[in-house]
Amino acid sequence: MTHDLATPVALEVWKDPQGFAITHHVRDTAWVYFQCWDAPGLPADFIGCLQFDRVWHISARRYRPLKGYPNVAPTEDHSYYLWVKNSRLIKTLKSKRSAHDPDWEQYDPVDYQHYIVESHDFYTQIVAGSVSFSRIEKEMARPFFQLWETI
């Protein structure tokens, strides 16, 4: 079985492939906000948000020599996030946690999944119990647009 194969999960919007994502993480919830396009190169007046619940792990990595996550299944979709099957990251996290607390799965029975959101020069890895998508319209997205204008 192939380890760490990432399967693209199509988004309902066209995520700006050159945009920077904004991540926000509080307790066991994380949000990844990203700019969207109406058409190639034409910015939309709304943004996309992926909300991750029951978060166990979150990290960001600069691509370094890569141009994205290295092991992605082919797709025709132009906008997606990634779901990693047979994740070595989850296996490592479970092993480390079990070494300190062998019974942890009795009180934390979440079926954790490994997700990746790619943005301009980084990808964010999130291990969480679930993910959902929402669209944030112009007025509510204003603070994010202002932040993107400064970077």
Side-chain angles (χ1 to χ4, degrees), residues 23-25 29-32 50-60 82 84 89-90 93 112-117 123-131:
T23 57
H24 187 95
H25 179 218
T29 303
W31 300 265
V32 178
L50 289 168
Q51 178 176 323
F52 298 88
D53 292 304
R54 301 295 308 256
V55 172
W56 180 4
H57 171 90
I58 184 169
S59 64
L82 301 170
V84 180
L89 174 59
I90 291 178
L93 290 170
Y112 288 103
Q113 302 296 313
H114 181 180
Y115 303 101
I116 294 174
V117 182
Y123 61 87
T124 303
Q125 298 190 88
I126 300 171
V127 174
S130 64
V131 60

PDB file of all heavy atoms in Angstrom, residues 23-25 29-32 50-60 82 84 89-90 93 112-117 123-131:
ATOM      1  N   THR A  23      -4.060  31.258   8.160  1.00  0.00           N
ATOM      2  CA  THR A  23      -4.499  30.205   9.067  1.00  0.00           C
ATOM      3  C   THR A  23      -4.776  30.807  10.436  1.00  0.00           C
ATOM      4  O   THR A  23      -4.108  31.749  10.871  1.00  0.00           O
ATOM      5  CB  THR A  23      -3.455  29.081   9.194  1.00  0.00           C
ATOM      6  OG1 THR A  23      -2.222  29.653   9.626  1.00  0.00           O
ATOM      7  CG2 THR A  23      -3.240  28.375   7.875  1.00  0.00           C
ATOM      8  N   HIS A  24      -5.761  30.239  11.102  1.00  0.00           N
ATOM      9  CA  HIS A  24      -6.170  30.675  12.430  1.00  0.00           C
ATOM     10  C   HIS A  24      -6.464  29.395  13.207  1.00  0.00           C
ATOM     11  O   HIS A  24      -7.172  28.527  12.705  1.00  0.00           O
ATOM     12  CB  HIS A  24      -7.428  31.543  12.282  1.00  0.00           C
ATOM     13  CG  HIS A  24      -7.873  32.195  13.538  1.00  0.00           C
ATOM     14  ND1 HIS A  24      -7.512  33.470  13.871  1.00  0.00           N
ATOM     15  CD2 HIS A  24      -8.654  31.744  14.540  1.00  0.00           C
ATOM     16  CE1 HIS A  24      -8.064  33.780  15.032  1.00  0.00           C
ATOM     17  NE2 HIS A  24      -8.766  32.748  15.455  1.00  0.00           N
ATOM     18  N   HIS A  25      -5.925  29.302  14.415  1.00  0.00           N
ATOM     19  CA  HIS A  25      -6.047  28.055  15.168  1.00  0.00           C
ATOM     20  C   HIS A  25      -6.364  28.401  16.615  1.00  0.00           C
ATOM     21  O   HIS A  25      -5.602  29.119  17.262  1.00  0.00           O
ATOM     22  CB  HIS A  25      -4.723  27.295  15.061  1.00  0.00           C
ATOM     23  CG  HIS A  25      -4.678  26.012  15.783  1.00  0.00           C
ATOM     24  ND1 HIS A  25      -3.560  25.578  16.436  1.00  0.00           N
ATOM     25  CD2 HIS A  25      -5.596  25.044  15.972  1.00  0.00           C
ATOM     26  CE1 HIS A  25      -3.785  24.403  16.980  1.00  0.00           C
ATOM     27  NE2 HIS A  25      -5.026  24.061  16.722  1.00  0.00           N
ATOM     28  N   THR A  29      -9.853  23.746  16.960  1.00  0.00           N
ATOM     29  CA  THR A  29     -10.454  24.162  15.688  1.00  0.00           C
ATOM     30  C   THR A  29      -9.435  25.018  14.933  1.00  0.00           C
ATOM     31  O   THR A  29      -8.730  25.824  15.537  1.00  0.00           O
ATOM     32  CB  THR A  29     -11.748  24.964  15.922  1.00  0.00           C
ATOM     33  OG1 THR A  29     -12.650  24.166  16.684  1.00  0.00           O
ATOM     34  CG2 THR A  29     -12.404  25.342  14.605  1.00  0.00           C
ATOM     35  N   ALA A  30      -9.371  24.807  13.631  1.00  0.00           N
ATOM     36  CA  ALA A  30      -8.478  25.609  12.787  1.00  0.00           C
ATOM     37  C   ALA A  30      -9.239  26.028  11.540  1.00  0.00           C
ATOM     38  O   ALA A  30     -10.117  25.304  11.060  1.00  0.00           O
ATOM     39  CB  ALA A  30      -7.241  24.808  12.399  1.00  0.00           C
ATOM     40  N   TRP A  31      -8.898  27.209  11.040  1.00  0.00           N
ATOM     41  CA  TRP A  31      -9.503  27.734   9.820  1.00  0.00           C
ATOM     42  C   TRP A  31      -8.391  28.099   8.851  1.00  0.00           C
ATOM     43  O   TRP A  31      -7.366  28.630   9.249  1.00  0.00           O
ATOM     44  CB  TRP A  31     -10.318  28.995  10.112  1.00  0.00           C
ATOM     45  CG  TRP A  31     -11.440  28.788  11.068  1.00  0.00           C
ATOM     46  CD1 TRP A  31     -12.752  28.531  10.763  1.00  0.00           C
ATOM     47  CD2 TRP A  31     -11.385  28.842  12.494  1.00  0.00           C
ATOM     48  NE1 TRP A  31     -13.495  28.417  11.914  1.00  0.00           N
ATOM     49  CE2 TRP A  31     -12.679  28.599  12.992  1.00  0.00           C
ATOM     50  CE3 TRP A  31     -10.356  29.061  13.419  1.00  0.00           C
ATOM     51  CZ2 TRP A  31     -12.982  28.578  14.350  1.00  0.00           C
ATOM     52  CZ3 TRP A  31     -10.646  29.032  14.772  1.00  0.00           C
ATOM     53  CH2 TRP A  31     -11.951  28.795  15.227  1.00  0.00           C
ATOM     54  N   VAL A  32      -8.603  27.794   7.597  1.00  0.00           N
ATOM     55  CA  VAL A  32      -7.679  28.215   6.548  1.00  0.00           C
ATOM     56  C   VAL A  32      -8.499  29.048   5.565  1.00  0.00           C
ATOM     57  O   VAL A  32      -9.457  28.550   4.965  1.00  0.00           O
ATOM     58  CB  VAL A  32      -7.023  27.021   5.832  1.00  0.00           C
ATOM     59  CG1 VAL A  32      -6.105  27.519   4.714  1.00  0.00           C
ATOM     60  CG2 VAL A  32      -6.247  26.154   6.826  1.00  0.00           C
ATOM     61  N   LEU A  50     -11.824  26.815   4.855  1.00  0.00           N
ATOM     62  CA  LEU A  50     -11.897  25.423   5.281  1.00  0.00           C
ATOM     63  C   LEU A  50     -11.793  25.423   6.799  1.00  0.00           C
ATOM     64  O   LEU A  50     -10.847  25.985   7.365  1.00  0.00           O
ATOM     65  CB  LEU A  50     -10.768  24.597   4.671  1.00  0.00           C
ATOM     66  CG  LEU A  50     -10.887  24.343   3.175  1.00  0.00           C
ATOM     67  CD1 LEU A  50      -9.577  23.780   2.627  1.00  0.00           C
ATOM     68  CD2 LEU A  50     -12.045  23.397   2.881  1.00  0.00           C
ATOM     69  N   GLN A  51     -12.799  24.837   7.459  1.00  0.00           N
ATOM     70  CA  GLN A  51     -12.789  24.744   8.916  1.00  0.00           C
ATOM     71  C   GLN A  51     -12.508  23.303   9.301  1.00  0.00           C
ATOM     72  O   GLN A  51     -13.180  22.378   8.832  1.00  0.00           O
ATOM     73  CB  GLN A  51     -14.126  25.170   9.511  1.00  0.00           C
ATOM     74  CG  GLN A  51     -14.147  25.039  11.026  1.00  0.00           C
ATOM     75  CD  GLN A  51     -15.410  25.549  11.656  1.00  0.00           C
ATOM     76  OE1 GLN A  51     -15.962  26.539  11.209  1.00  0.00           O
ATOM     77  NE2 GLN A  51     -15.871  24.875  12.703  1.00  0.00           N
ATOM     78  N   PHE A  52     -11.517  23.130  10.155  1.00  0.00           N
ATOM     79  CA  PHE A  52     -11.116  21.812  10.630  1.00  0.00           C
ATOM     80  C   PHE A  52     -11.489  21.692  12.104  1.00  0.00           C
ATOM     81  O   PHE A  52     -11.136  22.565  12.905  1.00  0.00           O
ATOM     82  CB  PHE A  52      -9.605  21.620  10.447  1.00  0.00           C
ATOM     83  CG  PHE A  52      -9.180  21.693   9.012  1.00  0.00           C
ATOM     84  CD1 PHE A  52      -8.857  22.909   8.428  1.00  0.00           C
ATOM     85  CD2 PHE A  52      -9.120  20.551   8.240  1.00  0.00           C
ATOM     86  CE1 PHE A  52      -8.474  22.977   7.091  1.00  0.00           C
ATOM     87  CE2 PHE A  52      -8.732  20.610   6.904  1.00  0.00           C
ATOM     88  CZ  PHE A  52      -8.415  21.827   6.332  1.00  0.00           C
ATOM     89  N   ASP A  53     -12.207  20.627  12.446  1.00  0.00           N
ATOM     90  CA  ASP A  53     -12.618  20.412  13.823  1.00  0.00           C
ATOM     91  C   ASP A  53     -11.915  19.183  14.392  1.00  0.00           C
ATOM     92  O   ASP A  53     -11.516  18.287  13.662  1.00  0.00           O
ATOM     93  CB  ASP A  53     -14.135  20.228  13.892  1.00  0.00           C
ATOM     94  CG  ASP A  53     -14.852  21.521  13.537  1.00  0.00           C
ATOM     95  OD1 ASP A  53     -14.572  22.547  14.187  1.00  0.00           O
ATOM     96  OD2 ASP A  53     -15.669  21.513  12.596  1.00  0.00           O
ATOM     97  N   ARG A  54     -11.800  19.182  15.716  1.00  0.00           N
ATOM     98  CA  ARG A  54     -11.091  18.122  16.433  1.00  0.00           C
ATOM     99  C   ARG A  54      -9.631  18.037  15.953  1.00  0.00           C
ATOM    100  O   ARG A  54      -9.107  16.969  15.659  1.00  0.00           O
ATOM    101  CB  ARG A  54     -11.786  16.772  16.296  1.00  0.00           C
ATOM    102  CG  ARG A  54     -13.218  16.708  16.804  1.00  0.00           C
ATOM    103  CD  ARG A  54     -13.367  16.917  18.305  1.00  0.00           C
ATOM    104  NE  ARG A  54     -12.530  16.077  19.121  1.00  0.00           N
ATOM    105  CZ  ARG A  54     -12.934  15.014  19.801  1.00  0.00           C
ATOM    106  NH1 ARG A  54     -14.181  14.683  19.777  1.00  0.00           N
ATOM    107  NH2 ARG A  54     -12.093  14.320  20.524  1.00  0.00           N
ATOM    108  N   VAL A  55      -8.991  19.194  15.857  1.00  0.00           N
ATOM    109  CA  VAL A  55      -7.606  19.269  15.376  1.00  0.00           C
ATOM    110  C   VAL A  55      -6.662  18.675  16.410  1.00  0.00           C
ATOM    111  O   VAL A  55      -6.715  18.986  17.595  1.00  0.00           O
ATOM    112  CB  VAL A  55      -7.215  20.735  15.067  1.00  0.00           C
ATOM    113  CG1 VAL A  55      -5.729  20.852  14.763  1.00  0.00           C
ATOM    114  CG2 VAL A  55      -8.047  21.270  13.918  1.00  0.00           C
ATOM    115  N   TRP A  56      -5.776  17.825  15.926  1.00  0.00           N
ATOM    116  CA  TRP A  56      -4.739  17.206  16.761  1.00  0.00           C
ATOM    117  C   TRP A  56      -3.374  17.813  16.428  1.00  0.00           C
ATOM    118  O   TRP A  56      -2.537  18.030  17.298  1.00  0.00           O
ATOM    119  CB  TRP A  56      -4.738  15.715  16.522  1.00  0.00           C
ATOM    120  CG  TRP A  56      -3.737  14.916  17.305  1.00  0.00           C
ATOM    121  CD1 TRP A  56      -2.871  15.361  18.265  1.00  0.00           C
ATOM    122  CD2 TRP A  56      -3.528  13.518  17.205  1.00  0.00           C
ATOM    123  NE1 TRP A  56      -2.128  14.319  18.763  1.00  0.00           N
ATOM    124  CE2 TRP A  56      -2.513  13.177  18.132  1.00  0.00           C
ATOM    125  CE3 TRP A  56      -4.078  12.517  16.428  1.00  0.00           C
ATOM    126  CZ2 TRP A  56      -2.059  11.879  18.285  1.00  0.00           C
ATOM    127  CZ3 TRP A  56      -3.625  11.235  16.592  1.00  0.00           C
ATOM    128  CH2 TRP A  56      -2.626  10.912  17.515  1.00  0.00           C
ATOM    129  N   HIS A  57      -3.153  18.102  15.165  1.00  0.00           N
ATOM    130  CA  HIS A  57      -1.844  18.580  14.712  1.00  0.00           C
ATOM    131  C   HIS A  57      -2.041  19.591  13.593  1.00  0.00           C
ATOM    132  O   HIS A  57      -2.896  19.402  12.722  1.00  0.00           O
ATOM    133  CB  HIS A  57      -1.028  17.390  14.192  1.00  0.00           C
ATOM    134  CG  HIS A  57       0.244  17.774  13.508  1.00  0.00           C
ATOM    135  ND1 HIS A  57       1.430  17.903  14.190  1.00  0.00           N
ATOM    136  CD2 HIS A  57       0.513  18.068  12.222  1.00  0.00           C
ATOM    137  CE1 HIS A  57       2.381  18.249  13.330  1.00  0.00           C
ATOM    138  NE2 HIS A  57       1.843  18.359  12.135  1.00  0.00           N
ATOM    139  N   ILE A  58      -1.242  20.647  13.609  1.00  0.00           N
ATOM    140  CA  ILE A  58      -1.237  21.606  12.506  1.00  0.00           C
ATOM    141  C   ILE A  58       0.196  22.103  12.344  1.00  0.00           C
ATOM    142  O   ILE A  58       0.883  22.371  13.329  1.00  0.00           O
ATOM    143  CB  ILE A  58      -2.223  22.770  12.729  1.00  0.00           C
ATOM    144  CG1 ILE A  58      -2.260  23.713  11.513  1.00  0.00           C
ATOM    145  CG2 ILE A  58      -1.917  23.523  14.000  1.00  0.00           C
ATOM    146  CD1 ILE A  58      -3.388  24.733  11.554  1.00  0.00           C
ATOM    147  N   SER A  59       0.649  22.169  11.101  1.00  0.00           N
ATOM    148  CA  SER A  59       1.991  22.678  10.827  1.00  0.00           C
ATOM    149  C   SER A  59       2.013  23.262   9.418  1.00  0.00           C
ATOM    150  O   SER A  59       1.239  22.859   8.562  1.00  0.00           O
ATOM    151  CB  SER A  59       3.045  21.572  10.960  1.00  0.00           C
ATOM    152  OG  SER A  59       2.830  20.569   9.997  1.00  0.00           O
ATOM    153  N   ALA A  60       2.916  24.196   9.233  1.00  0.00           N
ATOM    154  CA  ALA A  60       3.099  24.787   7.906  1.00  0.00           C
ATOM    155  C   ALA A  60       4.514  24.496   7.457  1.00  0.00           C
ATOM    156  O   ALA A  60       5.449  24.480   8.262  1.00  0.00           O
ATOM    157  CB  ALA A  60       2.853  26.289   7.950  1.00  0.00           C
ATOM    158  N   LEU A  82      -6.195  18.673  -0.150  1.00  0.00           N
ATOM    159  CA  LEU A  82      -5.738  17.294  -0.250  1.00  0.00           C
ATOM    160  C   LEU A  82      -6.098  16.493   0.999  1.00  0.00           C
ATOM    161  O   LEU A  82      -6.047  17.005   2.122  1.00  0.00           O
ATOM    162  CB  LEU A  82      -4.215  17.263  -0.439  1.00  0.00           C
ATOM    163  CG  LEU A  82      -3.685  17.993  -1.674  1.00  0.00           C
ATOM    164  CD1 LEU A  82      -2.161  18.099  -1.611  1.00  0.00           C
ATOM    165  CD2 LEU A  82      -4.127  17.287  -2.940  1.00  0.00           C
ATOM    166  N   VAL A  84      -4.835  12.948   2.711  1.00  0.00           N
ATOM    167  CA  VAL A  84      -3.719  12.007   2.627  1.00  0.00           C
ATOM    168  C   VAL A  84      -4.142  10.658   3.181  1.00  0.00           C
ATOM    169  O   VAL A  84      -4.486  10.521   4.356  1.00  0.00           O
ATOM    170  CB  VAL A  84      -2.484  12.534   3.390  1.00  0.00           C
ATOM    171  CG1 VAL A  84      -1.326  11.545   3.286  1.00  0.00           C
ATOM    172  CG2 VAL A  84      -2.082  13.903   2.865  1.00  0.00           C
ATOM    173  N   LEU A  89       2.335  10.460   8.948  1.00  0.00           N
ATOM    174  CA  LEU A  89       2.260  11.475   9.997  1.00  0.00           C
ATOM    175  C   LEU A  89       1.296  11.016  11.095  1.00  0.00           C
ATOM    176  O   LEU A  89       1.618  11.085  12.287  1.00  0.00           O
ATOM    177  CB  LEU A  89       1.810  12.823   9.426  1.00  0.00           C
ATOM    178  CG  LEU A  89       1.558  13.931  10.447  1.00  0.00           C
ATOM    179  CD1 LEU A  89       2.798  14.223  11.281  1.00  0.00           C
ATOM    180  CD2 LEU A  89       1.064  15.194   9.744  1.00  0.00           C
ATOM    181  N   ILE A  90       0.128  10.525  10.725  1.00  0.00           N
ATOM    182  CA  ILE A  90      -0.831  10.046  11.731  1.00  0.00           C
ATOM    183  C   ILE A  90      -0.259   8.845  12.482  1.00  0.00           C
ATOM    184  O   ILE A  90      -0.376   8.761  13.707  1.00  0.00           O
ATOM    185  CB  ILE A  90      -2.193   9.711  11.099  1.00  0.00           C
ATOM    186  CG1 ILE A  90      -2.876  11.009  10.647  1.00  0.00           C
ATOM    187  CG2 ILE A  90      -3.072   8.952  12.085  1.00  0.00           C
ATOM    188  CD1 ILE A  90      -4.215  10.799   9.949  1.00  0.00           C
ATOM    189  N   LEU A  93       2.209  10.227  15.000  1.00  0.00           N
ATOM    190  CA  LEU A  93       1.525  10.902  16.108  1.00  0.00           C
ATOM    191  C   LEU A  93       0.894   9.889  17.065  1.00  0.00           C
ATOM    192  O   LEU A  93       1.001  10.031  18.286  1.00  0.00           O
ATOM    193  CB  LEU A  93       0.460  11.856  15.568  1.00  0.00           C
ATOM    194  CG  LEU A  93       0.957  13.108  14.841  1.00  0.00           C
ATOM    195  CD1 LEU A  93      -0.206  13.817  14.147  1.00  0.00           C
ATOM    196  CD2 LEU A  93       1.666  14.046  15.798  1.00  0.00           C
ATOM    197  N   TYR A 112      -9.094  10.289  13.048  1.00  0.00           N
ATOM    198  CA  TYR A 112      -8.312  11.414  12.546  1.00  0.00           C
ATOM    199  C   TYR A 112      -7.910  11.207  11.088  1.00  0.00           C
ATOM    200  O   TYR A 112      -7.559  10.109  10.683  1.00  0.00           O
ATOM    201  CB  TYR A 112      -7.064  11.629  13.399  1.00  0.00           C
ATOM    202  CG  TYR A 112      -7.384  12.203  14.757  1.00  0.00           C
ATOM    203  CD1 TYR A 112      -7.381  11.409  15.891  1.00  0.00           C
ATOM    204  CD2 TYR A 112      -7.720  13.548  14.898  1.00  0.00           C
ATOM    205  CE1 TYR A 112      -7.681  11.935  17.138  1.00  0.00           C
ATOM    206  CE2 TYR A 112      -8.028  14.083  16.139  1.00  0.00           C
ATOM    207  CZ  TYR A 112      -8.005  13.267  17.245  1.00  0.00           C
ATOM    208  OH  TYR A 112      -8.316  13.793  18.467  1.00  0.00           O
ATOM    209  N   GLN A 113      -7.961  12.302  10.342  1.00  0.00           N
ATOM    210  CA  GLN A 113      -7.572  12.308   8.931  1.00  0.00           C
ATOM    211  C   GLN A 113      -6.486  13.360   8.721  1.00  0.00           C
ATOM    212  O   GLN A 113      -6.428  14.348   9.449  1.00  0.00           O
ATOM    213  CB  GLN A 113      -8.783  12.627   8.042  1.00  0.00           C
ATOM    214  CG  GLN A 113      -9.946  11.659   8.200  1.00  0.00           C
ATOM    215  CD  GLN A 113      -9.584  10.260   7.760  1.00  0.00           C
ATOM    216  OE1 GLN A 113      -8.998  10.071   6.700  1.00  0.00           O
ATOM    217  NE2 GLN A 113      -9.927   9.270   8.571  1.00  0.00           N
ATOM    218  N   HIS A 114      -5.683  13.153   7.716  1.00  0.00           N
ATOM    219  CA  HIS A 114      -4.574  14.055   7.385  1.00  0.00           C
ATOM    220  C   HIS A 114      -4.975  14.880   6.160  1.00  0.00           C
ATOM    221  O   HIS A 114      -5.248  14.317   5.097  1.00  0.00           O
ATOM    222  CB  HIS A 114      -3.331  13.208   7.101  1.00  0.00           C
ATOM    223  CG  HIS A 114      -2.094  13.978   6.775  1.00  0.00           C
ATOM    224  ND1 HIS A 114      -0.917  13.331   6.504  1.00  0.00           N
ATOM    225  CD2 HIS A 114      -1.824  15.296   6.670  1.00  0.00           C
ATOM    226  CE1 HIS A 114       0.026  14.223   6.248  1.00  0.00           C
ATOM    227  NE2 HIS A 114      -0.517  15.429   6.333  1.00  0.00           N
ATOM    228  N   TYR A 115      -5.007  16.205   6.321  1.00  0.00           N
ATOM    229  CA  TYR A 115      -5.384  17.113   5.238  1.00  0.00           C
ATOM    230  C   TYR A 115      -4.234  18.063   4.941  1.00  0.00           C
ATOM    231  O   TYR A 115      -3.421  18.368   5.819  1.00  0.00           O
ATOM    232  CB  TYR A 115      -6.610  17.947   5.637  1.00  0.00           C
ATOM    233  CG  TYR A 115      -7.811  17.137   6.017  1.00  0.00           C
ATOM    234  CD1 TYR A 115      -8.143  16.927   7.349  1.00  0.00           C
ATOM    235  CD2 TYR A 115      -8.627  16.571   5.044  1.00  0.00           C
ATOM    236  CE1 TYR A 115      -9.252  16.181   7.713  1.00  0.00           C
ATOM    237  CE2 TYR A 115      -9.739  15.820   5.396  1.00  0.00           C
ATOM    238  CZ  TYR A 115     -10.052  15.633   6.723  1.00  0.00           C
ATOM    239  OH  TYR A 115     -11.147  14.898   7.069  1.00  0.00           O
ATOM    240  N   ILE A 116      -4.210  18.548   3.706  1.00  0.00           N
ATOM    241  CA  ILE A 116      -3.196  19.523   3.301  1.00  0.00           C
ATOM    242  C   ILE A 116      -3.870  20.612   2.485  1.00  0.00           C
ATOM    243  O   ILE A 116      -4.686  20.331   1.594  1.00  0.00           O
ATOM    244  CB  ILE A 116      -2.079  18.863   2.461  1.00  0.00           C
ATOM    245  CG1 ILE A 116      -1.317  17.874   3.332  1.00  0.00           C
ATOM    246  CG2 ILE A 116      -1.148  19.914   1.868  1.00  0.00           C
ATOM    247  CD1 ILE A 116      -0.296  17.070   2.602  1.00  0.00           C
ATOM    248  N   VAL A 117      -3.517  21.863   2.809  1.00  0.00           N
ATOM    249  CA  VAL A 117      -3.980  23.003   2.019  1.00  0.00           C
ATOM    250  C   VAL A 117      -2.727  23.678   1.476  1.00  0.00           C
ATOM    251  O   VAL A 117      -1.872  24.130   2.242  1.00  0.00           O
ATOM    252  CB  VAL A 117      -4.812  23.994   2.850  1.00  0.00           C
ATOM    253  CG1 VAL A 117      -5.307  25.137   1.965  1.00  0.00           C
ATOM    254  CG2 VAL A 117      -5.979  23.282   3.529  1.00  0.00           C
ATOM    255  N   TYR A 123       2.688  24.790   2.313  1.00  0.00           N
ATOM    256  CA  TYR A 123       1.510  23.954   2.481  1.00  0.00           C
ATOM    257  C   TYR A 123       1.301  23.731   3.969  1.00  0.00           C
ATOM    258  O   TYR A 123       2.237  23.660   4.748  1.00  0.00           O
ATOM    259  CB  TYR A 123       1.555  22.653   1.684  1.00  0.00           C
ATOM    260  CG  TYR A 123       2.644  21.659   1.962  1.00  0.00           C
ATOM    261  CD1 TYR A 123       2.495  20.695   2.947  1.00  0.00           C
ATOM    262  CD2 TYR A 123       3.802  21.645   1.188  1.00  0.00           C
ATOM    263  CE1 TYR A 123       3.479  19.741   3.175  1.00  0.00           C
ATOM    264  CE2 TYR A 123       4.787  20.692   1.410  1.00  0.00           C
ATOM    265  CZ  TYR A 123       4.619  19.750   2.404  1.00  0.00           C
ATOM    266  OH  TYR A 123       5.590  18.815   2.625  1.00  0.00           O
ATOM    267  N   THR A 124       0.034  23.703   4.361  1.00  0.00           N
ATOM    268  CA  THR A 124      -0.353  23.524   5.750  1.00  0.00           C
ATOM    269  C   THR A 124      -0.892  22.112   5.907  1.00  0.00           C
ATOM    270  O   THR A 124      -1.779  21.696   5.158  1.00  0.00           O
ATOM    271  CB  THR A 124      -1.425  24.557   6.150  1.00  0.00           C
ATOM    272  OG1 THR A 124      -0.909  25.874   5.918  1.00  0.00           O
ATOM    273  CG2 THR A 124      -1.808  24.410   7.611  1.00  0.00           C
ATOM    274  N   GLN A 125      -0.329  21.382   6.861  1.00  0.00           N
ATOM    275  CA  GLN A 125      -0.783  20.022   7.157  1.00  0.00           C
ATOM    276  C   GLN A 125      -1.633  20.072   8.416  1.00  0.00           C
ATOM    277  O   GLN A 125      -1.218  20.662   9.419  1.00  0.00           O
ATOM    278  CB  GLN A 125       0.397  19.087   7.387  1.00  0.00           C
ATOM    279  CG  GLN A 125       1.290  18.940   6.182  1.00  0.00           C
ATOM    280  CD  GLN A 125       2.288  17.830   6.375  1.00  0.00           C
ATOM    281  OE1 GLN A 125       1.994  16.683   6.068  1.00  0.00           O
ATOM    282  NE2 GLN A 125       3.462  18.169   6.880  1.00  0.00           N
ATOM    283  N   ILE A 126      -2.800  19.448   8.359  1.00  0.00           N
ATOM    284  CA  ILE A 126      -3.702  19.441   9.500  1.00  0.00           C
ATOM    285  C   ILE A 126      -4.197  18.012   9.710  1.00  0.00           C
ATOM    286  O   ILE A 126      -4.667  17.372   8.767  1.00  0.00           O
ATOM    287  CB  ILE A 126      -4.894  20.390   9.279  1.00  0.00           C
ATOM    288  CG1 ILE A 126      -4.384  21.826   9.064  1.00  0.00           C
ATOM    289  CG2 ILE A 126      -5.866  20.325  10.448  1.00  0.00           C
ATOM    290  CD1 ILE A 126      -5.430  22.806   8.627  1.00  0.00           C
ATOM    291  N   VAL A 127      -4.077  17.543  10.929  1.00  0.00           N
ATOM    292  CA  VAL A 127      -4.655  16.259  11.307  1.00  0.00           C
ATOM    293  C   VAL A 127      -5.865  16.600  12.167  1.00  0.00           C
ATOM    294  O   VAL A 127      -5.730  17.247  13.216  1.00  0.00           O
ATOM    295  CB  VAL A 127      -3.647  15.374  12.073  1.00  0.00           C
ATOM    296  CG1 VAL A 127      -4.319  14.115  12.590  1.00  0.00           C
ATOM    297  CG2 VAL A 127      -2.461  15.031  11.173  1.00  0.00           C
ATOM    298  N   ALA A 128      -7.039  16.199  11.682  1.00  0.00           N
ATOM    299  CA  ALA A 128      -8.284  16.601  12.343  1.00  0.00           C
ATOM    300  C   ALA A 128      -9.348  15.531  12.169  1.00  0.00           C
ATOM    301  O   ALA A 128      -9.215  14.631  11.330  1.00  0.00           O
ATOM    302  CB  ALA A 128      -8.773  17.930  11.756  1.00  0.00           C
ATOM    303  N   GLY A 129     -10.418  15.678  12.923  1.00  0.00           N
ATOM    304  CA  GLY A 129     -11.525  14.749  12.832  1.00  0.00           C
ATOM    305  C   GLY A 129     -12.447  15.022  11.664  1.00  0.00           C
ATOM    306  O   GLY A 129     -13.069  14.104  11.131  1.00  0.00           O
ATOM    307  N   SER A 130     -12.545  16.292  11.247  1.00  0.00           N
ATOM    308  CA  SER A 130     -13.427  16.625  10.127  1.00  0.00           C
ATOM    309  C   SER A 130     -13.025  17.956   9.511  1.00  0.00           C
ATOM    310  O   SER A 130     -12.304  18.745  10.108  1.00  0.00           O
ATOM    311  CB  SER A 130     -14.891  16.688  10.586  1.00  0.00           C
ATOM    312  OG  SER A 130     -15.060  17.739  11.513  1.00  0.00           O
ATOM    313  N   VAL A 131     -13.537  18.171   8.303  1.00  0.00           N
ATOM    314  CA  VAL A 131     -13.305  19.428   7.593  1.00  0.00           C
ATOM    315  C   VAL A 131     -14.601  19.827   6.911  1.00  0.00           C
ATOM    316  O   VAL A 131     -15.367  18.974   6.452  1.00  0.00           O
ATOM    317  CB  VAL A 131     -12.149  19.303   6.563  1.00  0.00           C
ATOM    318  CG1 VAL A 131     -12.441  18.243   5.518  1.00  0.00           C
ATOM    319  CG2 VAL A 131     -11.853  20.646   5.904  1.00  0.00           C
TER     320      VAL A 131
END
